[in-house]
Amino acid sequence: MAEKDYHAVVTDLIANAIKTSKVTGENGRITRLVAGSIGRFAAELRSSDQADEARALIEHARELLDAGDGAEIVPSLTAAVAALEGTA
């Protein structure tokens, strides 16, 4: 089975959330979907003894949101990812 590229998936999810939010405003369902996916990916990594990778994935998401004006465009998603940092 091919190894999953969580960083690429998270990059795509966050980019799409930001693009959509620029047009329609932040959508709670998209926010929950993206934050939930990041949390599940991190949990999957932790369950396979890859806690460092889980932390790196959440940090990657945080960096993507902090780049440019992402944190201003999707503040709820930014807060959700920040909350995930405490679980990593």
Side-chain angles (χ1 to χ4, degrees):
M1 185 163 113
E3 191 166 323
K4 297 175 188 173
D5 187 353
Y6 292 120
H7 283 76
V9 173
V10 167
T11 299
D12 289 344
L13 287 172
I14 289 175
N16 287 328
I18 290 172
K19 285 179 197 174
T20 301
S21 295
K22 283 182 179 179
V23 175
T24 62
E26 189 170 21
N27 181 309
R29 292 195 321 196
I30 292 172
T31 294
R32 288 187 299 278
L33 171 73
V34 174
S37 295
I38 295 167
R40 281 189 301 282
F41 297 158
E44 188 173 315
L45 288 167
R46 283 191 303 273
S47 72
S48 59
D49 294 329
Q50 297 179 56
D52 290 341
E53 278 297 314
R55 278 190 292 281
L57 182 66
I58 294 170
E59 288 172 14
H60 173 69
R62 184 64 184 256
E63 289 169 2
L64 291 170
L65 291 165
D66 289 343
D69 55 358
E72 294 174 12
I73 295 170
V74 287
S76 295
L77 179 56
T78 302
V81 171
L84 289 172
E85 285 180 312
T87 65

Coordinates of all heavy atoms in Angstrom, one line a residue:
M1 N 0.8 -1.2 0.0 CA 0.0 0.0 0.0 C 0.9 1.2 0.0 O 1.8 1.3 0.7 CB -0.9 0.0 1.2 CG -1.9 1.1 1.3 SD -3.2 0.7 2.4 CE -2.9 2.0 3.6
A2 N 0.6 2.2 -0.8 CA 1.4 3.4 -0.9 C 1.2 4.3 0.4 O 0.1 4.3 0.9 CB 0.9 4.2 -2.1
E3 N 2.3 4.9 0.8 CA 2.2 5.7 2.0 C 1.5 7.0 1.6 O 1.6 7.6 0.5 CB 3.6 6.1 2.4 CG 3.6 6.7 3.8 CD 5.0 6.7 4.4 OE1 5.7 5.7 4.2 OE2 5.4 7.7 5.0
K4 N 0.7 7.5 2.5 CA -0.1 8.7 2.3 C 0.7 9.9 2.5 O 1.5 10.0 3.4 CB -1.3 8.7 3.3 CG -2.2 7.6 3.1 CD -3.3 7.6 4.2 CE -4.1 6.3 4.2 NZ -5.0 6.2 5.3
D5 N 0.5 10.9 1.6 CA 1.2 12.2 1.7 C 0.3 13.2 2.4 O -0.4 14.0 1.7 CB 1.6 12.7 0.3 CG 2.5 13.9 0.4 OD1 2.7 14.5 1.5 OD2 3.0 14.3 -0.7
Y6 N 0.3 13.1 3.7 CA -0.6 14.0 4.5 C -0.3 15.4 4.3 O -1.2 16.2 4.3 CB -0.5 13.6 6.0 CG -1.0 12.3 6.4 CD1 -0.2 11.3 6.9 CD2 -2.3 11.9 6.2 CE1 -0.7 10.1 7.3 CE2 -2.9 10.7 6.5 CZ -2.0 9.8 7.1 OH -2.5 8.5 7.4
H7 N 1.0 15.8 4.2 CA 1.3 17.2 4.0 C 0.7 17.8 2.7 O 0.1 18.9 2.7 CB 2.8 17.4 4.0 CG 3.5 17.3 5.3 ND1 3.7 16.2 6.0 CD2 3.9 18.3 6.1 CE1 4.2 16.4 7.1 NE2 4.4 17.7 7.2
A8 N 0.7 17.0 1.6 CA 0.1 17.5 0.4 C -1.4 17.6 0.5 O -2.0 18.5 0.0 CB 0.5 16.5 -0.8
V9 N -2.0 16.6 1.2 CA -3.5 16.6 1.3 C -3.9 17.8 2.2 O -4.8 18.6 1.9 CB -4.0 15.3 2.0 CG1 -5.5 15.4 2.3 CG2 -3.7 14.2 1.0
V10 N -3.2 18.1 3.3 CA -3.5 19.2 4.2 C -3.3 20.5 3.4 O -4.1 21.5 3.5 CB -2.6 19.2 5.5 CG1 -2.7 20.5 6.2 CG2 -3.1 18.0 6.3
T11 N -2.2 20.6 2.6 CA -2.0 21.8 1.8 C -3.1 22.1 0.9 O -3.6 23.2 0.8 CB -0.7 21.7 1.0 OG1 0.4 21.5 1.9 CG2 -0.4 22.9 0.1
D12 N -3.6 21.1 0.2 CA -4.8 21.2 -0.7 C -6.0 21.6 0.1 O -6.8 22.5 -0.4 CB -5.0 19.9 -1.5 CG -4.0 19.7 -2.5 OD1 -3.2 20.6 -2.9 OD2 -3.9 18.5 -3.0
L13 N -6.3 21.0 1.2 CA -7.5 21.3 2.0 C -7.5 22.7 2.5 O -8.5 23.4 2.4 CB -7.6 20.3 3.2 CG -8.0 18.9 2.9 CD1 -7.8 18.1 4.2 CD2 -9.4 18.8 2.4
I14 N -6.4 23.2 3.0 CA -6.3 24.5 3.5 C -6.4 25.5 2.4 O -7.1 26.6 2.5 CB -5.0 24.7 4.4 CG1 -5.2 23.9 5.7 CG2 -4.8 26.2 4.6 CD1 -4.0 23.9 6.6
A15 N -5.7 25.3 1.3 CA -5.8 26.2 0.1 C -7.2 26.3 -0.4 O -7.7 27.4 -0.7 CB -4.9 25.7 -1.0
N16 N -7.9 25.2 -0.5 CA -9.3 25.3 -0.9 C -10.2 26.0 0.1 O -11.1 26.8 -0.3 CB -9.8 23.9 -1.2 CG -9.3 23.3 -2.4 OD1 -9.0 24.0 -3.4 ND2 -9.1 22.0 -2.5
A17 N -10.0 25.8 1.4 CA -10.8 26.5 2.4 C -10.5 28.0 2.3 O -11.5 28.8 2.4 CB -10.4 26.0 3.8
I18 N -9.3 28.4 2.1 CA -9.0 29.8 2.0 C -9.6 30.4 0.7 O -10.2 31.5 0.8 CB -7.5 30.1 2.1 CG1 -7.0 29.8 3.5 CG2 -7.1 31.5 1.7 CD1 -5.4 29.8 3.6
K19 N -9.5 29.7 -0.4 CA -10.0 30.2 -1.7 C -11.5 30.4 -1.6 O -12.1 31.4 -2.0 CB -9.7 29.3 -2.8 CG -8.3 29.3 -3.3 CD -8.1 28.3 -4.4 CE -6.6 28.1 -4.6 NZ -6.4 27.0 -5.6
T20 N -12.2 29.4 -1.0 CA -13.6 29.4 -0.9 C -14.1 30.6 0.1 O -15.0 31.3 -0.2 CB -14.2 28.1 -0.3 OG1 -13.8 27.0 -1.2 CG2 -15.7 28.1 -0.1
S21 N -13.3 30.7 1.2 CA -13.7 31.8 2.1 C -13.5 33.2 1.6 O -14.1 34.1 2.0 CB -12.8 31.6 3.4 OG -13.2 30.3 4.0
K22 N -12.5 33.3 0.7 CA -12.3 34.6 0.0 C -13.6 35.1 -0.7 O -13.9 36.3 -0.8 CB -11.1 34.6 -0.9 CG -9.8 34.7 -0.2 CD -8.7 34.7 -1.2 CE -7.3 34.8 -0.5 NZ -6.2 34.8 -1.4
V23 N -14.3 34.1 -1.3 CA -15.5 34.4 -2.1 C -16.7 34.5 -1.2 O -17.5 35.4 -1.4 CB -15.6 33.3 -3.2 CG1 -16.9 33.5 -4.0 CG2 -14.4 33.3 -4.1
T24 N -16.9 33.5 -0.4 CA -18.2 33.4 0.3 C -18.1 33.6 1.8 O -19.1 33.5 2.5 CB -18.8 32.0 0.1 OG1 -17.9 31.0 0.7 CG2 -19.0 31.7 -1.3
G25 N -17.0 33.8 2.4 CA -16.8 33.9 3.8 C -16.5 32.5 4.4 O -16.8 31.5 3.7
E26 N -16.0 32.5 5.6 CA -15.7 31.2 6.2 C -16.9 30.4 6.4 O -17.9 30.8 6.9 CB -14.9 31.4 7.5 CG -14.4 30.1 8.1 CD -13.4 30.3 9.2 OE1 -13.5 31.4 9.9 OE2 -12.6 29.4 9.5
N27 N -16.8 29.1 6.0 CA -17.9 28.2 6.1 C -17.7 27.2 7.2 O -16.6 26.5 7.2 CB -18.1 27.5 4.7 CG -19.2 26.5 4.7 OD1 -19.3 25.6 5.5 ND2 -20.0 26.5 3.6
G28 N -18.6 27.1 8.2 CA -18.4 26.3 9.3 C -18.2 24.8 9.0 O -17.4 24.1 9.6
R29 N -18.9 24.3 8.0 CA -18.8 22.9 7.6 C -17.5 22.6 7.0 O -16.9 21.6 7.3 CB -20.0 22.5 6.6 CG -21.3 22.6 7.3 CD -22.4 21.9 6.7 NE -22.6 22.0 5.3 CZ -23.7 21.7 4.6 NH1 -24.8 21.3 5.3 NH2 -23.8 21.8 3.3
I30 N -17.0 23.5 6.2 CA -15.6 23.3 5.6 C -14.6 23.4 6.7 O -13.7 22.6 6.7 CB -15.4 24.4 4.5 CG1 -16.3 24.1 3.3 CG2 -13.9 24.4 4.1 CD1 -16.2 25.2 2.2
T31 N -14.8 24.3 7.6 CA -13.8 24.4 8.7 C -13.8 23.2 9.5 O -12.7 22.6 9.8 CB -14.2 25.6 9.6 OG1 -14.1 26.8 8.9 CG2 -13.4 25.7 10.9
R32 N -14.9 22.6 9.8 CA -15.0 21.4 10.6 C -14.4 20.2 9.8 O -13.7 19.4 10.4 CB -16.4 21.0 11.1 CG -16.9 22.0 12.2 CD -18.3 21.6 12.7 NE -19.3 21.6 11.7 CZ -20.0 22.7 11.3 NH1 -19.7 23.8 11.9 NH2 -21.0 22.6 10.4
L33 N -14.7 20.1 8.5 CA -14.1 19.1 7.7 C -12.6 19.1 7.6 O -11.9 18.1 7.8 CB -14.7 19.2 6.2 CG -14.0 18.3 5.2 CD1 -14.5 16.9 5.4 CD2 -14.3 18.8 3.8
V34 N -12.0 20.3 7.4 CA -10.6 20.5 7.3 C -9.9 20.2 8.7 O -9.0 19.4 8.7 CB -10.2 21.8 6.8 CG1 -8.7 22.1 6.8 CG2 -10.7 22.0 5.3
A35 N -10.4 20.8 9.7 CA -9.8 20.6 11.0 C -10.0 19.1 11.5 O -9.0 18.6 12.0 CB -10.5 21.5 12.1
G36 N -11.1 18.5 11.2 CA -11.3 17.1 11.5 C -10.4 16.2 10.8 O -9.9 15.2 11.3
S37 N -10.2 16.5 9.5 CA -9.2 15.7 8.7 C -7.8 15.8 9.2 O -7.1 14.8 9.4 CB -9.3 16.2 7.2 OG -10.5 15.9 6.7
I38 N -7.4 17.0 9.5 CA -6.1 17.2 10.1 C -5.9 16.4 11.4 O -4.9 15.7 11.6 CB -5.7 18.7 10.3 CG1 -5.7 19.4 8.9 CG2 -4.4 18.9 11.0 CD1 -5.7 20.9 9.0
G39 N -6.9 16.5 12.3 CA -6.9 15.8 13.5 C -6.9 14.3 13.3 O -6.1 13.6 14.0
R40 N -7.6 13.8 12.4 CA -7.6 12.3 12.1 C -6.3 11.9 11.5 O -5.8 10.8 11.9 CB -8.8 12.0 11.1 CG -10.1 11.8 11.8 CD -11.2 11.3 10.9 NE -11.4 12.0 9.7 CZ -12.1 13.2 9.6 NH1 -12.6 13.7 10.7 NH2 -12.2 13.8 8.4
F41 N -5.7 12.7 10.6 CA -4.4 12.3 10.1 C -3.4 12.3 11.2 O -2.6 11.3 11.3 CB -4.0 13.3 9.0 CG -4.8 13.4 7.8 CD1 -4.8 14.5 7.0 CD2 -5.6 12.3 7.4 CE1 -5.6 14.6 5.9 CE2 -6.4 12.4 6.3 CZ -6.4 13.6 5.5
A42 N -3.4 13.3 12.1 CA -2.4 13.3 13.2 C -2.6 12.1 14.1 O -1.7 11.5 14.5 CB -2.5 14.6 13.9
A43 N -3.9 11.8 14.4 CA -4.2 10.6 15.2 C -3.7 9.3 14.6 O -3.2 8.4 15.3 CB -5.7 10.5 15.5
E44 N -3.9 9.2 13.3 CA -3.4 8.0 12.6 C -1.9 7.9 12.7 O -1.3 6.8 12.9 CB -3.8 8.1 11.1 CG -3.6 6.8 10.4 CD -4.2 6.8 9.0 OE1 -5.3 7.3 8.8 OE2 -3.5 6.4 8.0
L45 N -1.2 9.0 12.5 CA 0.3 9.0 12.7 C 0.7 8.6 14.1 O 1.6 7.8 14.3 CB 0.8 10.4 12.3 CG 0.8 10.7 10.8 CD1 1.1 12.2 10.5 CD2 1.8 9.8 10.0
R46 N 0.0 9.2 15.1 CA 0.4 8.9 16.5 C 0.1 7.4 16.8 O 0.9 6.8 17.5 CB -0.4 9.8 17.4 CG 0.1 11.2 17.5 CD -0.5 11.9 18.7 NE -2.0 12.0 18.6 CZ -2.7 12.9 18.0 NH1 -2.0 13.9 17.3 NH2 -4.0 12.9 18.0
S47 N -1.0 6.9 16.2 CA -1.3 5.4 16.5 C -0.3 4.5 15.9 O -0.2 3.3 16.3 CB -2.7 5.1 16.0 OG -2.7 5.1 14.6
S48 N 0.5 5.0 14.9 CA 1.5 4.1 14.3 C 2.9 4.6 14.7 O 3.9 4.5 14.0 CB 1.4 4.1 12.7 OG 1.5 5.4 12.2
D49 N 3.0 5.1 15.9 CA 4.2 5.5 16.6 C 5.0 6.5 15.8 O 6.2 6.5 15.6 CB 5.1 4.3 16.8 CG 4.5 3.4 17.9 OD1 3.8 3.9 18.8 OD2 4.7 2.2 17.8
Q50 N 4.3 7.5 15.2 CA 4.9 8.6 14.5 C 4.5 9.9 15.1 O 4.0 10.8 14.3 CB 4.5 8.5 13.0 CG 5.0 7.2 12.3 CD 4.6 7.2 10.9 OE1 4.9 8.1 10.1 NE2 3.9 6.1 10.5
A51 N 4.6 10.1 16.3 CA 4.2 11.3 17.0 C 4.9 12.5 16.5 O 4.3 13.6 16.4 CB 4.4 11.2 18.5
D52 N 6.2 12.4 16.2 CA 6.9 13.5 15.6 C 6.3 14.0 14.3 O 6.2 15.2 14.0 CB 8.4 13.2 15.4 CG 9.1 13.1 16.7 OD1 8.6 13.6 17.8 OD2 10.2 12.5 16.7
E53 N 5.9 13.0 13.5 CA 5.3 13.3 12.2 C 3.9 14.0 12.4 O 3.5 14.9 11.6 CB 5.1 12.1 11.3 CG 6.4 11.7 10.6 CD 6.8 12.8 9.5 OE1 5.9 13.3 8.8 OE2 7.9 13.1 9.5
A54 N 3.2 13.5 13.4 CA 1.9 14.2 13.7 C 2.1 15.6 14.1 O 1.4 16.5 13.6 CB 1.2 13.4 14.9
R55 N 3.1 15.9 15.0 CA 3.4 17.3 15.3 C 3.8 18.1 14.1 O 3.3 19.2 13.9 CB 4.5 17.3 16.4 CG 3.9 17.1 17.8 CD 5.0 17.4 18.9 NE 6.1 16.4 18.8 CZ 6.1 15.2 19.3 NH1 5.0 14.8 19.9 NH2 7.1 14.4 19.3
A56 N 4.6 17.5 13.3 CA 5.1 18.2 12.1 C 3.9 18.5 11.1 O 3.9 19.6 10.5 CB 6.1 17.4 11.4
L57 N 2.9 17.6 11.1 CA 1.8 17.9 10.2 C 0.9 19.0 10.7 O 0.5 19.9 9.9 CB 0.9 16.6 10.1 CG -0.3 16.7 9.2 CD1 0.1 16.9 7.8 CD2 -1.2 15.5 9.4
I58 N 0.7 19.1 12.0 CA -0.1 20.2 12.6 C 0.7 21.5 12.5 O 0.1 22.5 12.1 CB -0.4 19.9 14.0 CG1 -1.4 18.7 14.1 CG2 -1.1 21.1 14.7 CD1 -1.7 18.1 15.4
E59 N 2.0 21.5 12.6 CA 2.8 22.7 12.5 C 2.8 23.1 11.0 O 2.7 24.3 10.7 CB 4.3 22.4 12.9 CG 4.5 22.3 14.3 CD 5.9 21.8 14.7 OE1 6.8 21.9 13.8 OE2 6.1 21.5 15.9
H60 N 2.8 22.2 10.1 CA 2.7 22.5 8.7 C 1.3 23.2 8.4 O 1.3 24.3 7.7 CB 2.8 21.2 7.8 CG 2.5 21.4 6.4 ND1 3.4 22.1 5.5 CD2 1.5 21.0 5.6 CE1 2.9 22.1 4.3 NE2 1.7 21.4 4.3
A61 N 0.3 22.7 8.9 CA -1.0 23.4 8.8 C -1.0 24.8 9.4 O -1.5 25.7 8.7 CB -2.1 22.5 9.4
R62 N -0.5 24.9 10.5 CA -0.4 26.2 11.2 C 0.4 27.2 10.3 O 0.0 28.4 10.1 CB 0.2 26.1 12.6 CG 0.3 27.3 13.4 CD -1.1 27.8 13.7 NE -1.1 29.0 14.4 CZ -1.4 29.1 15.7 NH1 -1.7 28.1 16.4 NH2 -1.3 30.3 16.3
E63 N 1.5 26.8 9.8 CA 2.4 27.6 8.9 C 1.6 28.0 7.7 O 1.7 29.2 7.2 CB 3.7 26.9 8.5 CG 4.6 26.7 9.7 CD 5.8 25.8 9.4 OE1 5.9 25.3 8.2 OE2 6.6 25.6 10.3
L64 N 0.8 27.1 7.1 CA 0.1 27.5 5.9 C -1.0 28.6 6.2 O -1.2 29.5 5.4 CB -0.7 26.3 5.3 CG 0.2 25.2 4.7 CD1 -0.6 23.9 4.4 CD2 0.8 25.7 3.4
L65 N -1.6 28.4 7.4 CA -2.6 29.4 7.8 C -2.0 30.8 8.1 O -2.6 31.8 7.9 CB -3.4 28.9 8.9 CG -4.3 27.7 8.6 CD1 -4.8 27.0 9.8 CD2 -5.5 28.2 7.7
D66 N -0.8 30.7 8.7 CA -0.1 32.0 9.1 C 0.5 32.7 7.9 O 0.8 33.9 8.0 CB 1.0 31.7 10.1 CG 0.4 31.3 11.5 OD1 -0.8 31.6 11.7 OD2 1.1 30.7 12.3
A67 N 0.7 32.0 6.8 CA 1.3 32.6 5.6 C 0.3 33.6 5.0 O -0.9 33.2 4.9 CB 1.7 31.5 4.6
G68 N 0.7 34.7 4.5 CA -0.2 35.6 3.9 C -1.3 36.1 4.9 O -1.0 36.3 6.0
D69 N -2.5 36.1 4.4 CA -3.6 36.5 5.2 C -4.6 35.4 5.5 O -5.7 35.6 5.9 CB -4.4 37.7 4.5 CG -4.8 37.3 3.1 OD1 -4.5 36.2 2.6 OD2 -5.4 38.2 2.5
G70 N -4.1 34.2 5.5 CA -4.9 33.0 5.8 C -5.6 33.0 7.1 O -6.8 32.7 7.2
A71 N -4.8 33.4 8.1 CA -5.4 33.5 9.5 C -6.6 34.5 9.6 O -7.5 34.2 10.4 CB -4.3 33.8 10.5
E72 N -6.5 35.5 8.8 CA -7.6 36.5 8.9 C -8.8 36.1 8.1 O -9.9 36.4 8.4 CB -7.1 37.8 8.3 CG -6.0 38.5 9.1 CD -5.4 39.7 8.5 OE1 -6.0 40.2 7.4 OE2 -4.4 40.2 8.9
I73 N -8.5 35.3 7.0 CA -9.6 34.8 6.2 C -10.4 33.7 6.8 O -11.6 33.6 6.7 CB -9.1 34.4 4.8 CG1 -8.5 35.7 4.1 CG2 -10.2 33.8 3.9 CD1 -7.7 35.4 2.8
V74 N -9.7 32.8 7.5 CA -10.3 31.6 8.1 C -9.9 31.6 9.6 O -9.2 30.7 10.0 CB -9.9 30.3 7.4 CG1 -10.7 30.2 6.1 CG2 -8.5 30.2 7.2
P75 N -10.5 32.5 10.4 CA -10.1 32.5 11.8 C -10.5 31.3 12.6 O -9.8 30.9 13.5 CB -10.7 33.8 12.3 CG -11.8 34.1 11.4 CD -11.4 33.6 10.0
S76 N -11.7 30.8 12.3 CA -12.1 29.6 13.0 C -11.3 28.4 12.7 O -11.0 27.6 13.6 CB -13.6 29.3 12.7 OG -14.4 30.4 13.1
L77 N -10.9 28.2 11.5 CA -10.0 27.1 11.1 C -8.6 27.3 11.8 O -8.1 26.4 12.3 CB -9.8 27.0 9.6 CG -8.9 25.9 9.1 CD1 -9.3 24.6 9.6 CD2 -8.9 26.0 7.6
T78 N -8.1 28.5 11.8 CA -6.9 28.8 12.5 C -6.9 28.5 14.0 O -6.0 27.8 14.5 CB -6.5 30.3 12.3 OG1 -6.4 30.6 10.9 CG2 -5.2 30.6 12.9
A79 N -8.0 28.8 14.6 CA -8.2 28.5 16.0 C -8.3 27.0 16.2 O -7.8 26.4 17.2 CB -9.5 29.2 16.6
A80 N -9.0 26.3 15.3 CA -9.1 24.8 15.5 C -7.8 24.2 15.3 O -7.5 23.2 16.1 CB -10.1 24.3 14.4
V81 N -6.9 24.6 14.4 CA -5.6 24.0 14.2 C -4.8 24.4 15.4 O -4.0 23.5 15.9 CB -5.0 24.5 12.9 CG1 -3.5 24.1 12.8 CG2 -5.7 24.0 11.7
A82 N -4.9 25.5 16.0 CA -4.1 25.9 17.2 C -4.5 25.0 18.3 O -3.7 24.6 19.1 CB -4.4 27.4 17.5
A83 N -5.8 24.6 18.4 CA -6.3 23.7 19.5 C -5.7 22.3 19.3 O -5.4 21.6 20.2 CB -7.8 23.6 19.5
L84 N -5.5 21.9 18.0 CA -4.9 20.6 17.7 C -3.4 20.6 18.2 O -2.9 19.5 18.5 CB -4.9 20.3 16.2 CG -6.3 20.0 15.7 CD1 -6.2 19.9 14.1 CD2 -6.8 18.7 16.3
E85 N -2.8 21.7 18.2 CA -1.4 21.7 18.6 C -1.2 21.2 20.0 O -0.2 20.5 20.4 CB -0.8 23.1 18.5 CG -0.5 23.5 17.1 CD 0.1 24.9 17.0 OE1 -0.5 25.8 17.6 OE2 1.1 25.1 16.3
G86 N -2.2 21.4 20.9 CA -2.2 20.9 22.2 C -2.4 19.3 22.3 O -2.1 18.7 23.3
T87 N -2.8 18.7 21.2 CA -3.1 17.3 21.2 C -1.9 16.5 20.6 O -1.9 15.3 20.7 CB -4.4 16.9 20.5 OG1 -4.3 17.3 19.1 CG2 -5.6 17.7 21.1
A88 N -1.1 17.2 19.9 CA 0.0 16.5 19.2 C 1.1 16.0 20.0 O 1.4 16.0 21.1 CB 0.6 17.5 18.2

